[in-house]
């Protein structure tokens, strides 16, 4: 994000508001977890948890009070933040409209109709990945597929933790690649690259990890597992595939999502008598579903403006660079390690991959520019390591949802998310062993082109 407000010299003190936010968010989650409350880390809404941090940031500022407020508002109104929030709204509208018209059932039916029983576990991984890529949400994918997988597990001797782990793996695979995922939106906007370029950079790491995962999963014998395929109109899959194709072709993301919403509604009106009134209501419901991340993005933008002006982001960038430079003497490699480590650390603290990207985004962009790391690569690494950590966290929403759905421990779910572990290992191997690019200033592109 850019800022017109002059920043003070690097200062560790300026990071206190960020530390307060993390302490409130993490501390509340740990408390509720100890009390046995479900979704413990989601009891304190993140837009509320950040308010004391904003107040502290304003108090720590040495500007005049009016200037402090102006700094905060300038951060909230940053063009990248506002654009990101508008994309969130459109993505939520598409997901809600497509689901309401039966698109999710159609995607599930299409996947289950194709895979043979002997290829069940790799097939479920692929289905979850495709649906998550199309929907842009790992949680929505898990909610749709959990009943299917649970029925399979109860009718066979396949381990429920294994089935749950496979679904989480596939959901995180798709969430990481999806162009309408909030993680992709946050990563591309904070790093300043196009979604198409980030998608291509992700594929180079995600596909090898997915292949290794499927080779592992195919070793399980599931030839006797029954498959109950739900009835659905497969034509309703077209809007999902359309937005993927259009995005990869490089069409403007606003146009992609706008066309996706219209297509989903049009197919619904033809196939299931979808009504105009319901269409308008679903659009608004989609907007509402993005309320938390919408508000948090605005507030984080304002807090980042305060921290940046007080020298906190400069201090954090220098600290991360100092650590990673000891691990590798090459600037690009150390920058890549810095982006990966910073994102992983923040996600461990907040248990939310999108929030971690928002928190680490600006410092990661600085590291990338200083290390001549291409924006598409830093965006890819941001999203990858946020998804890796989120997928293996026993207190993450994905593990908690599957644990509750299957009646098993969230920890048993997280240790079976093989893809996430494999993805992290593949990404680190590529960072460490890939021949670095020539030192040059990478081309920066706009994220909405």
């Amino acid at each position: 994000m850019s800022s017109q407000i002059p920043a003070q010299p690097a200062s560790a003190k300026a990071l206190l508001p960020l530390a307060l936010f993390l302490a409130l968010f993490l501390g509340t989650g740990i408390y509720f977890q100890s009390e046995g409350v479900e979704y413990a880390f989601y009891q304190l809404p993140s837009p509320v948890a950040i308010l004391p941090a904003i107040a502290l940031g304003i108090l720590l500022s040495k500007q005049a009070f009016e200037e402090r407020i102006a700094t905060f508002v300038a951060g909230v109104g940053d063009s990248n933040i506002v654009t990101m929030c508008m994309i969130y709204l459109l993505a939520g509208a598409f997901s809600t409209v497509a689901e309401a018209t039966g698109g999710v059932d159609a995607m599930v039916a299409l996947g289950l109709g194709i895979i043979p029983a002997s290829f069940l576990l790799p097939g479920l991984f692929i289905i979850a990945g495709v649906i998550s890529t199309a929907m842009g949400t790992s949680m929505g994918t898990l909610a749709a597929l959990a009943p299917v997988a649970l029925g399979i597990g109860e009718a066979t001797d396949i381990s429920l933790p294994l089935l749950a782990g496979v679904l989480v793996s596939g959901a995180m695979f798709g969430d990481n690649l999806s162009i309408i995922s909030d993680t992709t939106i946050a990563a591309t906007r904070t790093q300043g690259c196009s979604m198409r370029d980030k998608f291509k950079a992700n594929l180079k790491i995600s596909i090898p990890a997915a292949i290794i995962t499927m080779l592992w999963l195919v070793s399980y014998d599931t030839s006797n597992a029954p498959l109950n395929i739900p009835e659905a109109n497969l034509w309703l899959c077209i809007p999902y595939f359309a937005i993927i194709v259009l995005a990869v072709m490089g069409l403007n993301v606003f146009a992609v999502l706008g066309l996706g919403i219209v297509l989903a509604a049009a197919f619904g009106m033809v196939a299931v008598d979808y009504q105009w009134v319901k269409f308008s209501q679903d659009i608004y419901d989609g907007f509402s579903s993005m309320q938390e991340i919408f508000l948090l993005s605005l507030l984080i933008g304002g807090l980042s403006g305060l921290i940046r002006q007080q020298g906190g982001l400069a201090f954090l960038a220098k600290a991360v660079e100092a650590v990673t430079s000891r691990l590798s003497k090459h600037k690009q490699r150390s920058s890549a390690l810095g982006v990966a480590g910073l994102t992983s650390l923040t996600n461990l603290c907040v248990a939310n991959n999108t929030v971690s990207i928002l928190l680490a985004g600006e410092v990661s962009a600085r590291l990338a520019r200083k290390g001549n790391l291409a924006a598409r690569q830093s965006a890819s690494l941001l999203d990858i390591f946020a998804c890796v950590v989120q997928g293996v966290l026993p207190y993450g929403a994905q593990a908690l949802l599957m644990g509750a759905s299957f009646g098993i421990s969230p920890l048993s779910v997280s240790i079976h998310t093989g893809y996430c572990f494999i993805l992290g290992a593949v990404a680190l191997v590529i960072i460490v062993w890939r021949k670095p690019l020539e030192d040059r200033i990478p081309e920066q592109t706009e994220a909405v082109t």
Side-chain angles (χ1 to χ4, degrees):
M1 295 178 289
S2 61
S3 176
Q4 302 297 323
I5 301 168
Q8 297 176 2
S11 169
K13 182 180 178 182
L15 292 174
L16 288 176
L18 179 60
L20 176 61
F21 169 57
L22 296 178
L24 285 173
F25 199 85
L26 185 61
T28 303
I30 292 174
Y31 169 76
F32 282 114
Q33 185 75 34
S34 67
E35 295 294 313
V37 177
E38 290 188 357
Y39 301 102
F41 284 80
Y42 296 83
Q43 295 300 308
L44 175 63
S46 51
V48 176
I50 201 173
L51 294 179
I54 292 172
L56 179 59
I58 293 174
L59 289 174
L60 290 176
S61 177
K62 296 180 180 179
Q63 297 175 300
F65 185 76
E66 291 77 9
E67 293 177 344
R68 302 179 195 187
I69 301 301
T71 299
F72 173 76
V73 173
V76 171
D78 182 274
S79 61
N80 281 325
I81 293 291
V82 174
T83 301
M84 182 164 55
C85 288
M86 294 304 298
I87 296 172
Y88 284 147
L89 294 181
L90 290 176
F94 169 77
S95 179
T96 301
V97 171
E99 183 177 3
T101 55
V104 174
D105 290 337
M107 293 291 288
V108 173
L110 177 63
L112 292 179
I114 293 174
I115 63 172
S118 59
F119 198 68
L120 177 60
L121 292 180
L124 285 175
F125 172 79
I126 294 173
I127 292 172
V130 171
I131 293 176
S132 187
T133 302
M135 292 179 65
T137 165
S138 58
M139 292 296 287
T141 299
L142 295 175
L145 291 178
V148 177
L150 181 58
I152 293 173
E154 291 175 342
T156 64
D157 58 355
I158 301 176
S159 165
L160 288 181
L162 175 61
L163 281 171
V166 169
L167 289 190
V168 173
S169 293
M172 299 311 293
F173 169 61
D175 186 85
N176 180 222
L177 291 175
S178 176
I179 64 99
I180 63 171
S181 166
D182 47 9
T183 59
T184 294
I185 296 167
T188 53
R189 289 309 306 175
T190 57
Q191 302 309 293
C193 74
S194 71
M195 292 187 175
R196 177 178 59 177
D197 287 344
K198 182 261 187 188
F199 179 82
K200 292 179 179 178
N202 264 28
L203 284 179
K204 295 177 181 179
I205 301 175
S206 300
I207 293 301
I211 292 173
I212 296 171
T213 301
M214 287 190 289
L215 290 175
W216 162 57
L217 293 175
V218 81
S219 65
Y220 291 90
D221 182 13
T222 59
S223 57
N224 295 322
L227 292 180
N228 296 318
I229 303 174
E231 293 184 5
N233 188 333
L234 298 184
W235 287 104
L236 296 172
C237 296
I238 292 178
Y240 283 114
F241 291 117
I243 66 165
I244 297 173
V245 173
L246 291 173
V248 173
M249 289 173 60
L251 189 65
N252 181 285
V253 65
F254 288 103
V256 169
L257 292 172
L259 287 172
I261 293 169
V262 172
L263 279 175
F267 274 87
M269 290 173 184
V270 172
V272 295
D273 194 27
Y274 191 55
Q275 299 296 317
W276 282 103
V277 174
K278 185 68 165 62
F279 177 41
S280 64
Q281 293 172 345
D282 286 337
I283 288 178
Y284 185 74
D285 288 342
F287 290 170
S288 299
S289 71
M290 291 291 180
Q291 174 180 301
E292 181 172 349
I293 193 62
F294 182 96
L295 293 174
L296 181 63
S297 296
L298 292 176
L299 295 174
I300 282 183
L303 181 61
S304 295
L306 290 168
I307 294 175
R308 183 195 313 112
Q309 189 277 328
Q310 297 171 39
L313 295 182
F315 174 84
L316 186 57
K318 288 182 179 180
V320 173
E321 183 183 7
V323 173
T324 55
S325 63
R326 298 176 184 176
L327 301 176
S328 174
K329 295 185 180 297
H330 196 279
K331 291 192 297 182
Q332 287 181 338
R333 186 172 291 135
S334 63
S335 294
L337 290 171
V339 172
L342 183 61
T343 310
S344 300
L345 180 61
T346 54
N347 205 99
L348 282 170
C349 292
V350 300
N352 185 301
N353 44 348
T354 306
V355 175
S356 69
I357 291 173
L358 291 171
L359 290 173
E362 186 166 351
V363 174
S364 296
R366 291 189 180 202
L367 291 171
R369 286 194 297 269
K370 192 162 186 179
N372 287 338
L373 184 69
R376 65 181 182 276
Q377 294 173 324
S378 60
S380 174
L381 292 174
L382 262 177
D383 203 345
I384 283 174
F385 280 93
C387 284
V388 165
V389 175
Q390 184 68 23
V392 303
L393 281 181
Y395 52 88
Q398 290 75 11
L400 293 173
L401 173 62
M402 296 308 294
S405 299
F406 282 33
I408 56 180
S409 165
L411 179 60
S412 68
V413 177
S414 63
I415 63 177
H416 284 88
T417 55
Y419 170 76
C420 296
F421 291 102
I422 294 170
L423 177 63
V426 170
L428 287 175
V429 168
I430 290 177
I431 290 173
V432 173
W433 295 105
R434 181 177 59 188
K435 182 179 179 181
L437 300 173
E438 294 296 325
D439 286 337
R440 59 181 175 83
I441 298 176
E443 180 181 355
Q444 304 288 323
T445 58
E446 289 297 323
V448 295
T449 57

